[in-house]
Amino acid sequence: MRVSKAVGLCASLAALWALRVLATSAAGPLQQDQRFAFSTGATLVEVVAFVSDKNGRPINGLTREDFALEEDGVRQDITHFSFVELPRNTVSAAQASAPAPPVGTDVAGNQTGSGRSYVIVLDAQHVHPLRTGSVKQQAKKFINTYVEAGDAVAVVTVGGPGNQSFTSDKARLIRAVDMFVGGKSRSATLNKIETVMRAADDGPPRDYEAATKAADARTLFDSIRTISNSFGVVPGRRRSIILFSEGIELDMTDMIGTTAANGGAQQSASSQASSYAADLLLSQRAMYDSARKSNVSLYTVNPRGTSIGEDDMMRAAGPPASPGRSGNTATPPPTRDIQQEVQRSQGVLRNFADQTGGFAVVNSTDFDRGFNRIADANSTYYVLGYSPKNAAVNERYRKISVQVGRPGVSVSARPGYFPVGPAAASASAPPAGLNLKGASPWMQALLVSALPVSGLGMQVVGTPIGLRGQDHVVSVVVELQSSGFRFIEEGDSIRNEIEVGFVAIDSDGNIRAGRSSTGTLRLPKTARAAVSDGLRYVMEIPLPNQSYQIRVGAIESGGGTAGSAVLDLDLTAAEDRLAPAGIVVGVYGDSVPTTGEYPVMKSLLTAVPTASRRFSADQRLAVYVPFRGPLPKQGPPAAVIVTVRRPDGTVVFNSPATLAKSGNALGTSVHGTVIDLPLTGLAPGHYSLGVEVVNGGKAEAIAPISFEVSARR
């Protein structure tokens, strides 16, 4: 069962990442962070290199001429060169363990800049249950301390629950990590001792869990292979997998079935691993091939620390003498065999890293040092591109060597690759997508990406506003930055085709809703300024009680630009108590052109819903507060209070307590209230907006959101 769950999850991760670059290459320069473009064939090879000094610190300021790059021993001309330096603001351990700042944003966008991309893989099948706490502690430390604003991180648990699609929300990542439980099989040596103790004859000792261990190893290889494939080929970006695992103790090098002495017992045993070795080596090679092709680096973290198997040694009492065996004393603990298992598993982790251009954090308790190196390697690196002098396309592995002509310098880069043949289809052929009805091929490709795609700037907010049967009705507001639109001139008018689409993907990777629509924006040439402040699209989506990732994409045909944003939405909160579900902010007298179908929201809010959180001091807002759970039928009615504070906590607006109401809007059961918020009198600057529901002397609040006020227009 755990095998199928792991493979199924990784299959969904493939859907998260596939086609991301195809969406950017054919429709134009969709990613602002793309430093140079690579062709789709085999004529250009990208190598990401991390250069450090003898203390492991990154080295900056190198030029193209400082690098020497060889393929199969032949010097190559570096035709593309880029230096990437992402800011690091590592917090202290005390700050990392402190609660998150209370003021945040409810807006998802794609203009925050490019961060690092990590997939944290928790290998439940190769972590002892007693080290579950260590894995949780270290994984959460990495998330809290070394993940920066703008980074995109996913959590994948191989062999257990606890998965999170790409997000920058640390709370969601922590929740996924907290579900982890190690389920590693017992040491082969201990199993062999047990078979000896139970045997009625002199049969050879055996590991009765060998088949399970082989299946677990194959699942890990297949999972990492699928994750690597899912990254695709994103030019100029480093892709990293951080694997928390104790490694694989099964001997995959024993192809024949040798015999070995067991500790001091001198018990001869034929290796069962030989029957699985060939298959596992092929699976491991396929994993390496995928990582090299996708330019994915693997960083391995062993939660054992400096342990050499002492815990297993303590459990290995050694079998007592039996009538069918020589000797009359108990066998001493098989220390050597257990140590060999640990060393073999550590070697596997080191090999994972060495073969993919990463490094291993093994046989060490200084996890912070290892995490700091991982963050450095993903923050400061060089991207080298070259066209191989050997233009032949074949399946032969090609070795890559990267050196820097400075003393005391080390370079970490992938050691080679397998050539990729020329594209089978025309460059203009659309990629396979989600088969989303009504969506163009490029919209489908955009919505496959689990990470925001920059280019066409957008902001997205989503809030559950009511119930229709068993489904939540979610209001989604999309704001497009139209200042960069390119229009097609047609006589005295200008025209542009705008496509907006979305998919809602639940926590199991299933698409629960999705659609796309295209509209023609036609204006007189003199009215171009009418859309200079943006375009707005509002929709209402019915969704079951689940956690979702809502991906919204937009394409404007005039300039060929596109972008997407990713919104995390949790609809699983308990409905048996009264609590605010979020807020919808509307603007009175707003001039941004707005379209879409949102009949329920129109019946609740006379102002226009907006995803913008930047307003002018002469505007008036309407804040709609929907509730989860029924309103009280007895006792005092529930009341809502809206509060606005400056960053120093000073209250500048406090609404009167407004009674909540229940009703039915177009077949949707709604509970909530609207509160007017005039911005007149507020000085330009940043503020926080908080909402509190008071019911029977008890108060429920949502985390305040930030907004900005500018001078009068």
Side-chain angles (χ1 to χ4, degrees), residues 526-550:
T526 56
R528 173 65 178 84
V531 294
S532 59
D533 290 335
L535 293 175
R536 182 181 296 121
Y537 188 89
V538 186
M539 51 189 161
E540 293 173 353
I541 309 170
L543 291 171
N545 204 47
Q546 260 268 31
S547 294
Y548 295 92
Q549 184 181 78
I550 298 178

Side-chain angles (χ1 to χ4, degrees), residues 13-241:
L13 273 177
L16 299 181
W17 276 91
L19 308 178
R20 183 180 176 199
V21 170
L22 291 177
T24 64
S25 61
L30 308 188
Q31 290 183 312
Q32 295 174 338
D33 61 280
Q34 187 167 318
R35 291 165 177 80
F36 48 83
F38 286 92
S39 63
T40 57
T43 59
L44 208 55
V45 177
E46 174 189 290
V47 180
V48 176
F50 173 62
V51 184
S52 59
D53 61 19
K54 62 181 180 181
N55 295 316
R57 293 187 294 263
I59 295 179
N60 304 344
L62 299 178
T63 66
R64 185 193 318 244
E65 290 68 30
D66 290 316
F67 288 86
L69 193 154
E70 295 182 352
E71 179 180 292
D72 286 341
V74 178
R75 183 72 173 260
Q76 305 293 318
D77 297 325
I78 301 174
T79 56
H80 293 77
F81 179 84
S82 177
F83 173 62
V84 178
E85 185 173 27
L86 302 176
R88 287 197 57 198
N89 299 297
T90 304
V91 299
S92 67
Q95 290 173 313
S97 59
V103 179
T105 180
D106 58 338
V107 179
N110 62 352
Q111 299 299 298
T112 57
S114 300
R116 290 146 285 257
S117 299
Y118 300 114
V119 177
I120 296 175
V121 177
L122 308 178
D123 184 11
Q125 299 172 152
H126 297 100
V127 171
H128 195 282
L130 294 179
R131 280 182 280 274
T132 294
S134 175
V135 170
K136 289 182 178 180
Q137 178 185 5
Q138 300 308 326
K140 289 192 284 189
K141 176 186 288 186
F142 181 83
I143 293 168
N144 283 326
T145 309
Y146 297 94
V147 172
E148 308 275 357
D151 292 353
V153 186
V155 175
V156 176
T157 300
V158 179
N163 304 291
Q164 171 61 50
S165 57
F166 286 100
T167 181
S168 57
D169 187 338
K170 292 186 179 183
R172 291 177 179 271
L173 297 170
I174 295 298
R175 283 198 294 269
V177 171
D178 277 334
M179 297 177 67
F180 174 80
V181 178
K184 177 183 175 182
S185 299
R186 203 166 68 150
S187 160
T189 300
L190 296 184
N191 286 343
K192 290 176 182 180
I193 290 176
E194 183 177 335
T195 60
V196 170
M197 296 176 67
R198 293 181 178 181
D201 53 31
D202 286 331
R206 65 183 183 87
D207 179 7
Y208 51 83
E209 292 183 297
T212 299
K213 293 175 181 176
D216 290 347
R218 190 179 303 108
T219 298
L220 179 61
F221 295 150
D222 291 347
S223 299
I224 294 176
R225 174 178 56 80
T226 307
I227 294 171
S228 297
N229 288 339
S230 72
F231 272 105
V233 184
V234 184
R237 294 291 301 275
R238 184 156 208 168
R239 287 81 71 189
S240 298
I241 296 173

Side-chain angles (χ1 to χ4, degrees), residues 118-484:
Y118 300 114
V119 177
I120 296 175
V121 177
L122 308 178
D123 184 11
Q125 299 172 152
H126 297 100
V127 171
H128 195 282
L130 294 179
R131 280 182 280 274
T132 294
S134 175
V135 170
K136 289 182 178 180
Q137 178 185 5
Q138 300 308 326
K140 289 192 284 189
K141 176 186 288 186
F142 181 83
I143 293 168
N144 283 326
T145 309
Y146 297 94
V147 172
E148 308 275 357
D151 292 353
V153 186
V155 175
V156 176
T157 300
V158 179
N163 304 291
Q164 171 61 50
S165 57
F166 286 100
T167 181
S168 57
D169 187 338
K170 292 186 179 183
R172 291 177 179 271
L173 297 170
I174 295 298
R175 283 198 294 269
V177 171
D178 277 334
M179 297 177 67
F180 174 80
V181 178
K184 177 183 175 182
S185 299
R186 203 166 68 150
S187 160
T189 300
L190 296 184
N191 286 343
K192 290 176 182 180
I193 290 176
E194 183 177 335
T195 60
V196 170
M197 296 176 67
R198 293 181 178 181
D201 53 31
D202 286 331
R206 65 183 183 87
D207 179 7
Y208 51 83
E209 292 183 297
T212 299
K213 293 175 181 176
D216 290 347
R218 190 179 303 108
T219 298
L220 179 61
F221 295 150
D222 291 347
S223 299
I224 294 176
R225 174 178 56 80
T226 307
I227 294 171
S228 297
N229 288 339
S230 72
F231 272 105
V233 184
V234 184
R237 294 291 301 275
R238 184 156 208 168
R239 287 81 71 189
S240 298
I241 296 173
I242 304 174
L243 172 65
F244 288 83
S245 174
E246 295 179 25
I248 298 170
E249 298 175 357
L250 200 67
D251 188 357
M252 295 182 292
T253 64
D254 189 359
M255 303 284 289
I256 301 174
T258 59
T259 59
N262 182 8
Q266 301 298 314
Q267 296 163 344
S268 182
S270 176
S271 173
Q272 295 170 276
S274 61
S275 58
Y276 309 107
D279 179 56
L280 292 179
L281 287 176
L282 289 175
S283 296
Q284 182 177 245
R285 176 180 172 178
M287 177 190 74
Y288 289 146
D289 293 353
S290 296
R292 291 161 178 161
K293 287 179 181 178
S294 299
N295 212 1
V296 172
S297 296
L298 193 57
Y299 301 91
T300 55
V301 181
N302 189 345
R304 276 185 180 271
T306 56
S307 169
I308 58 173
E310 297 91 343
D311 47 351
D312 284 335
M313 294 177 194
M314 293 176 63
R315 288 190 289 270
S322 62
R325 301 183 185 278
S326 59
N328 53 13
T329 60
T331 303
T335 302
R336 188 189 67 178
D337 288 355
I338 291 176
Q339 288 178 338
Q340 285 179 344
E341 290 179 4
V342 174
Q343 292 168 357
R344 188 158 51 238
S345 64
Q346 290 178 344
V348 169
L349 295 178
R350 289 191 177 97
N351 203 37
F352 281 4
D354 292 343
Q355 292 295 319
T356 59
F359 53 81
V361 183
V362 300
N363 198 28
S364 172
T365 56
D366 191 355
F367 294 102
D368 275 308
R369 182 173 182 272
F371 293 158
N372 196 58
R373 287 185 63 199
I374 293 173
D376 277 344
N378 284 272
S379 303
T380 307
Y381 53 87
Y382 298 85
V383 185
L384 317 176
Y386 70 97
S387 297
K389 293 182 177 180
N390 178 9
V393 178
N394 52 48
E395 294 299 319
R396 185 177 60 82
Y397 179 72
R398 299 185 183 185
K399 294 182 179 180
I400 295 176
S401 171
V402 180
Q403 295 181 339
V404 172
R406 293 190 183 185
V409 168
S410 63
V411 180
S412 175
R414 59 170 169 159
Y417 73 103
F418 284 88
V420 181
S426 166
S428 62
L434 298 171
N435 295 320
L436 186 64
K437 187 176 181 180
S440 69
W442 300 119
M443 174 58 69
Q444 296 187 54
L446 265 182
L447 296 179
V448 169
S449 174
L451 291 177
V453 176
S454 59
L456 173 53
M458 64 171 59
Q459 295 174 299
V460 180
V461 294
T463 308
I465 58 174
L467 287 173
R468 184 177 300 157
Q470 297 298 314
D471 290 343
H472 296 268
V473 175
V474 178
S475 170
V476 177
V477 184
V478 183
E479 304 257 356
L480 303 180
Q481 296 178 5
S482 58
S483 57

